[in-house]
Every structure is written in structure tokens, then in C-alpha cells.
Amino acid sequence: MVYHNSVWGRRRLCSKAFWQHLGSSIEPRRRPICNHVNKLSRDFFNAKSAFHFNAEGHFTTSRDLRYFSDFASSRAVNVESNTSTEPNDNEVSTSGISDELDKETTRLLAILGGSETDADGNVLSQITFQEIDQIMEKWPNQSCDHSGTNTMNEAKKSESLLLAMEQNLKLTNTNNGKKLVPDTVSYNRVLHAYAMSGGGSEAAEHAQSILDRMLENCREYESMDHNDQMQYCKPPEPSVITFNTVINAWAKSGTQISGSWAEQVFASMEEWYYECQEKRDNGESSYNGALPNSRTFSGVMDAWAQNSANINAGAERVLAILEHMVDKRRRLVRGEAVEGVVIKPNVVMFNSAIHAWANAGKFRRGAERAEELLKMLEHLDSSGDLGLKDENDEDDVGLKPNTRTLSLVIDAWARCNDPSGAAAKFAQDKLDLMENLYRQGSDVKPNYVSFTACITAWARSRLVPNAAERAEAIFDRMRQLSQELNDTSLRPTVTTGNAVITAWARSRRPDSASNAERVLDKLEENCRPNIYSYNSVMDAYAKKGWVRSSERLLQKMKELSENGDPDVRPSLITYNSYLNALSKGQLKGNGARKAEAFLKKMENMDDIQPDLRSYSAVIDCWAHSGEPAQAKCANALMRRVLDLYERGIGDIRPDLMLFTRLINACAKTNGNQRARYDALKIALQAFEDLKKSPQFGSPDSRCFGTLMTAISRCSSDKEEATRLLQAVLKQCSNAGQVNDVVLKLFLRNVPPKVRDKFISNGIPAQWSENVPNKHRPRSLHA
């Protein structure tokens, strides 16, 4: 492992630089100024509260801090999470709860702002700290109840109360006596709300600004002399939970620099700790600071694992952090001198590293690294190199691989997208291991994530003849295991069933489509299929050109949606699959006319409008229709698409493939000489239109080859055909797009005299410079 200059080393860190051997692969950016305070909250900056603590409103330390600890330590992205599409029975009452919280928040804000009556003139009663605390706690809970949705508003509501209390920190005690001011848990509640809000980078920036404000308030208080300090309430300092929650917010943000920001939070945590320690040694500080724990490091690693700017760099960074932590702990256990805080790595940190490598790409390298980390974890657990587990330390969860560990490794192999089946076999081995461990009484047990990932691995093994059968066998095994152990958590989910349907849809077996629908029927016995389930079967039928089966399934979806199941209402993907089935069916002209009529019906729909794929499918229908006028009909569709594009209607934009499909419809035109002549004119005009419109793409080898086919089949004049073919070849060679198919088409359709002259002159290498090596003419291979 190559280490670089540490970006954290520029700041004051424990052990002079815990990270002195580590470098950031992403440059840190200047901290953005987050002016996120809404208008209502800003009104409190100049407000003077006339309300005081009563006997019941003093600070308390008995609140359940584990509430925050659990969320602060939650993983940034959990491979075991499953966002249910089922309707929630509690949703009916959610809006009512929000309305009540809104009213109570408004009342508290009015009191904190100094008002004596509300908007209706009612006298407002005094409030206690507990009342505010309870409302601040309910807003984050409300945020969590809306899992999967952006709930920034709930977090802002909670922060408005925090801001209102925060202004009392700036008032002197002689002005107001004891005041309602926030404590550390008040801040943690708001930070937790932002971290769990799903607000992305905006939520993380809000959380960051709150942490910065806390530190600024503490430092400002520390800078006062003793007499001045006696005039003000002491601002609360951030705890380890505070820092961990902000790191968690960055990990969940999905930003390109979340890892860099998480490191900066870590650095500010250590800087604050040593600043406090130095002042305490000199008797100048009443703050303690906060030392990082294992959850702090896990949060930073999770943030790097989500590095969308460079996934591989993020995975490398996570691995570097983990290896450095393991090395420091080993040296400490051996009795060597180690500076600063030494955190014992645990299975959670290894899971973060494995997850990072699982996300690192679709190639084997990520899966192989994940496998190596698993072996390293197993070795450390059995060898005791990092010391024995401390049962009294709740953060020491040990090094034994757990369900998440093995599920992540299976997922890493599934992401390889390996058609050979080798990755699927590795995934299968891990799934077998999980089942054996569970039967032996281990806490490790396969779950729907591990089963689904293994099924997905087989679904991507397209070169394995029985891949779909093996995927379905795993599905049946999951059902059997659930019944045998009476474990509902092992019951197949719709996601698991969809993976099996996809496996059959990708299979090359003649009966793959019917097997896909058979699995759909099996899925209906276990859970409710969703739109993806039906669309996958529709896609399988489309590939086979089974029009009647597609129509039957489409009708079934319409009936189900009309009878109270809106989740399976046909979508644009459904309709496009049906059009593809028509294009690949054997209905000839009837199929093309049926597709044209269906397309017009789609154009008149209120909620769904055809896209480029819809028009492409219908043009393909005409290409396979065998109708003498197929070129004209296909061209009429192209003109409609161009008209929509020019008028800016919808998101339709013609592309190279659409022009190539039109030329192909011309090339396949049968009928009399007049029909073929008209088709050739349309093909040549389409090619010219494409060249004049570079925004649609430049002609490639396929386009040139299709045009050559149209010329050779539709032109009745041999001399004219030869001249056109030579002109097309010249343009193709200038574009560096001459591949083996283009060359064969040219040589096959020109007179022997032209062919012999062409061969004797040789073929320059630059004619194929933009063609992949495997498709270049043989004479051009090095």
C-alpha cells in the first residue's frame, strides 16, 4: 500500500498525526457557508426571552443517550436495508401527528420569542425545558417514520426550537436570570434529525453548520475572562455522539467529497480535544473535549465508501485507514510504544471496507479485495493478534464475521457481472457456508439479501446453460428453509422473486419466457409481485416475439390495477415491451399496423407518452412487415419524431440508432422496382439528414453497412449501385469506420474489376482506426 502526505496532518491530531502515513485521494474543499436559517428562526436572533427555568426545568442528564448512539453508529448504506413498497398502516395518522407538532412548535417558538399571547389572543403559559425537549425529540422520530423520503422540513422544525433557545446563550444573567438554553442532547437531537432526513448534501451542510456553531460558541466563552463568564450561561460542548452524528450525515449525503468532509470533522474533533486538554493543564478550561471511538472511524470509512467521484479511490482510502488501524493495534499488543489513541478494529469496520470494495465496480478486483478482507478478518479473529475482546467495552463488538459480512461478500461477487459463472460459484459457496453455520447454531444466518445477491450472480452468468435453473433452485431452497425453521425473515421477498424472473428472462433456453411467467405465478403465492415483476416477464415475451402472451399479461396488469392494485399499473416500459414483441413477432404487416395503432393510443394518453424507444420499436415493426410501403411508413414515423423534437414536445431526441433503423426498414423493402427505388431515396435522404445533424450522432460502421445493404438491394442500376457504394466506402474510410462487415458488403456487391483493383491497392490502416480490433478486416490486423 502506497501512502501519501496526510491531509489531516495539517491539523493538530492525537499522536501528532494518527493519519501521518495516510493521504487523501480527494483534495479537501473550503467549507461552504451554510446560510440555512429560515425566516422564522432568524427572527429569534434579536429576540429577548422573558421566560425562565422553573424548578422542573433544570438541565438533566437522565435522558436516553443510547437513542442517539444507535443512530449515530448506523451504517451509511446498509446492504440489508429493504425499502418496502407496501402501504403503511400508520400513514393515515402521520399528517395528523405532524399538524399537532406544528401547532405545539409554533406555540413554543412564540413563548421563546417573548410573546405573551398567540395569534388568536390567547394567553400563553410558561414552559419548561422538558416540554421543548420532548417536541425536539418527536421531530426526529417523525423524520424516521417517513423512511425513504426527504424529511428536511421536520429537521428544520426541530432546529427552529434549538435556534430560539440558542439566542438565550447571548443574554446576560442579569438581564434574564436563568434562561431556557440548549444542552448537548438538544443539539444531538437536531443533528440526528438532519442525518436521518434523506436531505443529501443540504442536510449534511446543515449538520456541519450546527457543529461549527457549537464549537464557535464554546471558544467564544473560553476567550472571556472569569467575571464575564459568570454573566452568561456556559454553552454546551459537542460530545462524541455529536461528532459521530455529523460524520454520519456526511456519509449519508451521497456527495462526491463526503469522505473528505468526514475526515475534516474527525480532524476538528481531535483539534478540539487537544485544545481543551492544553487549557485544562493550565487551569484555563472547563471543557473536556471528545475522543474518537470505533464508531467515529466506522463513520469516516462509510463516508469514503460512498465516494461517488471516484469509487475505487474511496475503497483504497477505506482500506488504507483499516490497515493502518490494524498495524497500530498490533504494535500496541506487542508492547511497542504507540502514540495517541489506538482504536481496536472490529467487524463493523471490516464490513465498511468490504462494502466499499463491493461498490468499487463490476469487475473481479472489487470482489477479490472483499474476499481478502474476509480472510484477514477470520485470521485476526482466530489468532488474537489484536488482543482479546473486552466484554465491558460496548464498542468492542469483536472480529467474528457476521451475517452482514458474508452478505456483503456475496454481493461483491454478484456485482462482478461475470458471464462465465465463476463469480456465481464463489457467491454460492458463501451462501452454503452461511446456511451450514446457521444449522450449527451460529448467529450467522442467510437472509433475503444473501439469497437475492446469489440469485443475481447466477442471473448474470449468461454463458452458463443452467444458470436460471440454479437461480430458481436457490429461490426454492429459501422457501423450504423458511418453512423448515418457521422463520418468516427467510420468506422470499418480491425482490428475490424478481431476481429469479430476471434470470429466466436472460436465459437462452427456448422455454425461458414461459418459465419466467411460471416463477411469477410462484411469486404470487408468497408475496405480491410489483411492476418490475410483470415488466420482466413482458421483456422475456418481447425477446421471443410472443405477441399473444404479451397481450394476455398486459390485460392482466390492467385488470389488477383497476381492481385496486395500482402498483402493477402498466408503465411506459410495459408498453414498449409489448411494441418490441410486435416487432419480433411473425405478424408481418398486421403486426406493424397493430403497433402503429397502439402507438397512436399511447400518444393520446394523459399519464404516459411514448419515448424514443416506442417509435424505434414501431419502425422495427415496419422493417419486418414485408409491406411494399414499409419504407414510407417508417419514414413518416421518423418525420413525426423530428417534428416533436423541433417543437420541443417531450424529451424525445432522435439518435443514430433511430436513423439506422429507418435505413434498415428501407433495406428490407420488397415489392416492385418502384417501391424499392422510393425506399432507396428515403435511405439516402435519411443518411444525409444524419450527416447534417451532428447533435444526433455521427454514422458508425453499422450505419454505413446498413446503407450499403439498402443500396445493393434496392438499386436496379448496377452502375449507379457501384458508384453509390464507392461513395459510401469513401465516407466510411474517412471516418475510420471500415470494419469486416462493411468491407465484405462492398466487395460482394461491386463488379469483379472494381473488386480486384481495390484489393490490389491494399487497405490503409487508418480506414479502421475507430473500429475495435476484433472487428477490423483481417488484412489490417497487426
Side-chain angles (χ1 to χ4, degrees):
M1 181 64 60
V2 178
Y3 301 105
H4 310 280
N5 291 329
S6 173
V7 72
W8 289 353
R10 300 171 193 166
R11 310 192 66 166
R12 188 170 192 176
L13 311 175
C14 61
S15 76
K16 292 186 179 177
F18 176 88
W19 309 96
Q20 62 184 350
H21 299 299
L22 299 177
S24 177
S25 55
I26 294 182
E27 281 296 315
R29 300 187 181 181
R30 292 180 61 85
R31 179 168 298 166
I33 298 175
C34 304
N35 183 17
H36 67 278
V37 184
N38 56 38
K39 182 180 183 301
L40 180 62
S41 300
R42 278 197 297 266
D43 292 341
F44 287 96
F45 272 95
N46 298 317
K48 295 184 178 180
S49 173
F51 294 85
H52 313 283
F53 276 122
N54 57 25
E56 301 169 359
H58 290 295
F59 291 161
T60 175
T61 59
S62 62
R63 283 176 284 169
D64 188 7
L65 297 185
R66 288 177 298 174
Y67 172 78
F68 300 103
S69 179
D70 291 341
F71 281 103
S73 63
S74 64
R75 303 280 58 81
V77 173
N78 189 346
V79 74
E80 298 176 31
S81 65
N82 181 35
T83 302
S84 173
T85 57
E86 299 288 333
N88 189 339
D89 295 336
N90 296 326
E91 286 182 358
V92 177
S93 61
T94 299
S95 61
I97 295 173
S98 296
D99 291 342
E100 288 298 320
L101 285 175
D102 264 329
K103 291 179 181 178
E104 186 63 16
T105 301
T106 302
R107 183 181 74 87
L108 295 176
L109 287 172
I111 296 173
L112 287 168
S115 299
E116 298 183 1
T117 59
D118 61 16
D120 298 325
N122 299 317
V123 177
L124 296 172
S125 59
Q126 291 190 356
I127 55 175
T128 66
F129 181 79
Q130 279 84 356
E131 287 183 77
I132 300 175
D133 184 65
Q134 288 172 5
I135 297 300
M136 292 181 72
E137 181 179 11
K138 286 179 181 179
W139 278 121
N141 288 338
Q142 185 76 0
S143 173
C144 295
D145 289 342
H146 295 189
S147 64
T149 61
N150 187 318
T151 53
M152 283 285 290
N153 186 56
E154 282 86 343
K156 289 177 180 178
K157 293 284 187 180
S158 184
E159 189 182 9
S160 66
L161 291 169
L162 176 67
L163 287 165
M165 288 196 297
E166 206 173 52
Q167 300 317 301
N168 289 332
L169 293 171
K170 300 180 181 180
L171 300 177
T172 63
N173 292 325
T174 55
N175 247 347
N176 247 334
K178 291 186 176 179
K179 305 172 291 294
L180 289 172
V181 295
D183 64 359
T184 301
V185 179
S186 306
Y187 284 96
N188 288 347
R189 291 201 193 284
V190 179
L191 290 170
H192 160 69
Y194 278 121
M196 302 304 294
S197 69
S201 60
E202 183 186 358
E205 288 173 2
H206 276 264
Q208 183 69 55
S209 69
I210 292 172
L211 174 62
D212 291 345
R213 210 163 61 232
M214 287 185 76
L215 292 171
E216 181 181 353
N217 289 339
C218 291
R219 288 185 171 116
E220 184 178 351
Y221 182 80
E222 289 282 85
S223 66
M224 299 178 183
D225 60 36
H226 180 70
N227 291 331
D228 287 339
Q229 287 181 349
M230 295 297 293
Q231 300 299 314
Y232 294 90
C233 289
K234 178 184 175 182
E237 71 169 317
S239 65
V240 64
I241 294 175
T242 310
F243 287 101
N244 287 352
T245 307
V246 177
I247 289 174
N248 191 38
W250 280 114
K252 291 178 179 294
S253 68
T255 62
Q256 294 184 354
I257 56 170
S258 57
S260 180
W261 269 107
E263 286 193 6
Q264 290 189 44
V265 175
F266 181 95
S268 67
M269 181 182 191
E270 291 191 314
E271 183 178 33
W272 171 245
Y273 174 78
Y274 272 90
E275 184 179 323
C276 292
Q277 293 307 305
E278 281 189 7
K279 289 185 177 181
R280 286 182 71 86
D281 291 344
N282 298 327
E284 300 173 356
S285 176
S286 57
Y287 290 119
N288 297 314
L291 278 173
N293 58 18
S294 62
R295 292 173 180 175
T296 314
F297 285 89
S298 295
V300 174
M301 293 167 71
D302 277 334
W304 276 112
Q306 308 308 313
N307 177 19
S308 59
N310 189 332
I311 295 177
N312 285 306
E316 291 284 3
R317 181 67 175 171
V318 170
L319 183 60
I321 294 171
L322 182 61
E323 287 182 337
H324 192 56
M325 292 177 68
V326 169
D327 179 64
K328 283 195 69 173
R329 179 69 185 188
R330 273 179 171 153
R331 288 190 283 119
L332 180 68
V333 171
R334 289 197 298 261
E336 299 178 17
V338 181
E339 291 185 336
V341 177
V342 179
I343 302 295
K344 180 183 177 183
N346 56 33
V347 64
V348 176
M349 298 179 189
F350 273 86
N351 287 348
S352 296
I354 293 172
H355 183 217
W357 281 106
N359 288 339
K362 298 181 179 179
F363 304 104
R364 290 180 64 92
R365 181 167 175 261
E368 288 170 350
R369 282 295 182 93
E371 190 78 35
E372 291 170 5
L373 283 166
L374 174 61
K375 292 178 180 177
M376 180 180 176
L377 178 63
E378 291 172 336
H379 170 73
L380 291 172
D381 179 52
S382 60
S383 67
D385 286 357
L386 303 186
L388 299 177
K389 179 180 177 181
D390 185 356
E391 300 293 344
N392 297 321
D393 183 1
E394 63 176 12
D395 287 335
D396 189 358
V397 294
L399 289 159
K400 197 171 191 64
N402 56 25
T403 297
R404 178 173 164 79
T405 312
L406 293 172
S407 296
L408 285 166
V409 175
I410 293 174
D411 182 58
W413 284 114
R415 290 171 183 256
C416 285
N417 204 16
D418 178 13
S420 71
K425 290 177 182 177
F426 280 112
Q428 181 86 58
D429 290 342
K430 291 295 175 292
L431 184 64
D432 293 342
L433 173 63
M434 293 181 76
E435 184 175 344
N436 292 334
L437 289 172
Y438 185 53
R439 291 183 182 278
Q440 294 169 13
S442 170
D443 292 336
V444 175
K445 74 170 184 177
N447 56 17
Y448 81 93
V449 175
S450 48
F451 275 106
T452 304
C454 191
I455 290 171
T456 302
W458 283 114
R460 292 171 175 170
S461 305
R462 62 180 183 274
L463 299 182
V464 180
N466 64 340
E469 292 160 298
R470 299 190 72 161
E472 187 173 355
I474 296 172
F475 179 80
D476 292 336
R477 178 171 141 198
M478 185 179 183
R479 295 171 63 201
Q480 179 183 356
L481 193 62
S482 174
Q483 296 170 1
E484 177 186 334
L485 302 174
N486 193 26
D487 190 342
T488 56
S489 68
L490 290 173
R491 186 178 300 165
T493 65
V494 64
T495 306
T496 314
N498 288 346
V500 182
I501 294 173
T502 301
W504 277 114
R506 292 175 177 175
S507 173
R508 298 180 181 180
R509 279 181 40 166
D511 60 347
S512 59
S514 57
N515 278 313
E517 186 167 16
R518 179 178 53 78
V519 175
L520 177 63
D521 295 337
K522 189 185 295 187
L523 188 59
E524 290 174 339
E525 300 172 3
N526 294 275
C527 56
R528 190 173 70 181
N530 57 21
I531 185 65
Y532 184 86
S533 314
Y534 288 95
N535 282 346
S536 297
V537 177
M538 284 288 291
D539 181 58
Y541 284 142
K543 290 176 180 177
K544 298 293 183 183
W546 292 4
V547 177
R548 290 183 180 177
S549 297
S550 296
E551 290 174 341
R552 175 175 50 80
L553 191 59
L554 178 59
Q555 184 60 34
K556 180 180 179 179
M557 294 174 70
K558 289 180 178 179
E559 291 174 357
L560 287 172
S561 63
E562 290 170 359
N563 293 330
D565 191 356
D567 291 339
V568 297
R569 184 179 182 181
S571 64
L572 178 60
I573 295 175
T574 313
Y575 292 138
N576 284 347
S577 293
Y578 173 61
L579 291 174
N580 285 330
L582 289 171
S583 72
K584 293 179 173 62
Q586 303 297 321
L587 301 182
K588 299 294 183 181
N590 289 334
R593 283 186 283 275
K594 183 179 285 190
E596 185 90 39
F598 191 82
L599 181 66
K600 289 181 180 178
K601 188 183 296 184
M602 290 177 65
E603 290 175 331
N604 294 324
M605 290 181 179
D606 294 329
D607 54 340
I608 295 177
Q609 286 295 301
D611 62 1
L612 192 61
R613 294 182 180 180
S614 312
Y615 289 97
S616 297
V618 180
I619 289 177
D620 275 348
C621 286
W622 282 115
H624 295 94
S625 68
E627 294 280 320
Q630 67 184 42
K632 290 184 178 180
C633 293
N635 189 47
L637 276 174
M638 171 63 84
R639 298 303 130 189
R640 277 160 63 184
V641 173
L642 289 170
D643 180 63
L644 290 171
Y645 172 73
E646 290 170 359
R647 290 193 292 155
I649 299 177
D651 297 326
I652 294 179
R653 177 179 179 174
D655 62 3
L656 171 62
M657 282 306 302
L658 190 68
F659 281 92
T660 304
R661 291 175 191 273
L662 172 58
I663 296 172
N664 183 53
C666 298
K668 292 188 174 184
T669 298
N670 294 318
N672 57 34
Q673 181 177 339
R674 180 65 187 178
R676 295 198 303 273
Y677 177 75
D678 289 342
L680 180 57
K681 285 177 60 178
I682 292 172
L684 292 172
Q685 184 61 51
F687 185 74
E688 289 301 316
D689 291 343
L690 176 61
K691 290 195 300 180
K692 293 176 182 178
S693 306
Q695 69 270 26
F696 300 149
S698 301
D700 60 1
S701 299
R702 183 175 181 180
C703 183
F704 283 113
T706 307
L707 181 60
M708 283 186 170
T709 302
I711 293 169
S712 61
R713 294 192 61 187
C714 297
S715 178
S716 58
D717 187 334
K718 297 297 182 184
E719 290 185 3
E720 180 189 44
T722 300
R723 178 178 58 80
L724 289 173
L725 288 170
Q726 287 178 316
V728 172
L729 181 66
K730 182 178 180 180
Q731 294 183 57
C732 185
S733 61
N734 290 337
Q737 292 286 351
V738 178
N739 64 5
D740 48 2
V741 174
V742 170
L743 186 59
K744 288 177 183 178
L745 283 169
F746 177 79
L747 296 177
R748 186 188 303 154
N749 293 288
V750 295
K753 182 178 180 181
V754 175
R755 182 171 61 246
D756 294 341
K757 180 181 179 181
F758 180 83
I759 294 175
S760 64
N761 289 337
I763 306 170
Q766 59 266 30
W767 283 18
S768 298
E769 61 185 358
N770 295 321
V771 176
N773 284 329
K774 63 180 180 179
H775 296 307
R776 293 183 181 184
R778 292 182 181 178
S779 59
L780 298 180
H781 286 297

